[in-house]
Amino acid sequence: EQVEKGEADAVVIAGMGGKLIMQILEASMDKVCALQELILQPQSELEFVRAFLREKNLHILQENMVEEDGKYYQILKVSPLTAVHNQTLPLSRETQDLFGPCLLLDKNPELVRFLRYREQITLKILSQMQAEGAGEKDRDRMQQLLSCIREALEYVEA
């Protein structure tokens, strides 16, 4: 809000939920489009942030992932000006939004560890859901997540 259009070349928005980051960007799209780059570090809802960026023609130039104390953090370098990774991935849009097209394309080692971790957790949750008789819709959602995880793993481990 406080930055005037053209006053900055880059902005960092970090340490908050993806929904809030999207609201901040949406409220200032004229200022966002005047930037050279944005550094985003959403704490949640990354797949929605990536879909939002795509819809707003904001290009993910680079992504990185780090792990600290068992928590994974993803950082996105974004630009309204140009796209760097124009290579088409043989993966579903859902998988790319969930795990990051640049992270997948680069076969980021931290992403591989994260995917293996998420696969174990998702399998455990599915098992618990089955044992507790969870609804079919919830099980289907978890099954779809597992499918995306495995699609991503197959690609990065190839």
Side-chain angles (χ1 to χ4, degrees):
E1 253 179 38
Q2 302 304 314
V3 177
E4 295 298 323
K5 185 177 178 181
E7 185 178 12
D9 293 331
V11 170
V12 176
I13 305 174
M16 58 188 74
K19 191 177 286 187
L20 182 55
I21 287 176
M22 290 183 290
Q23 289 172 352
I24 291 168
L25 295 174
E26 182 72 47
S28 302
M29 281 307 293
D30 60 324
K31 296 176 188 178
V32 168
C33 290
L35 296 169
Q36 290 181 18
E37 67 182 27
L38 298 96
I39 304 299
L40 307 177
Q41 194 274 305
Q43 297 286 315
S44 61
E45 300 158 325
L46 277 103
E47 65 272 26
F48 300 117
V49 172
R50 287 187 182 102
F52 171 86
L53 295 172
R54 188 176 54 259
E55 290 166 12
K56 298 299 181 181
N57 208 28
L58 299 170
H59 308 283
I60 299 172
L61 302 177
Q62 189 176 3
E63 295 175 288
N64 202 355
M65 177 181 270
V66 296
E67 180 270 334
E68 183 180 357
D69 297 330
K71 181 150 174 60
Y72 290 87
Y73 300 93
Q74 295 184 35
I75 303 100
L76 292 74
K77 180 178 179 181
V78 176
S79 174
L81 305 175
T82 182
V84 170
H85 287 292
N86 289 327
Q87 189 172 347
T88 303
L89 291 171
L91 301 168
S92 70
R93 175 57 62 197
E94 184 178 7
T95 296
Q96 292 181 58
D97 284 348
L98 278 166
F99 305 115
C102 296
L103 290 170
L104 289 159
L105 187 62
D106 296 341
K107 299 186 179 192
N108 180 288
E110 201 62 54
L111 175 64
V112 175
R113 286 188 284 282
F114 173 74
L115 289 168
R116 288 184 188 135
Y117 167 77
R118 284 292 302 266
E119 182 180 37
Q120 290 175 351
I121 296 298
T122 304
L123 284 168
K124 186 182 280 187
I125 291 170
L126 270 168
S127 177
Q128 289 173 340
M129 291 174 93
Q130 216 161 10
E132 296 171 4
E136 186 176 337
K137 186 177 179 181
D138 292 331
R139 285 194 323 265
D140 287 349
R141 194 179 79 248
M142 289 306 293
Q143 201 61 48
Q144 179 61 31
L145 174 59
L146 182 60
S147 176
C148 289
I149 291 167
R150 289 181 169 164
E151 179 186 26
L153 271 170
E154 185 177 319
Y155 176 78
V156 297
E157 292 180 333

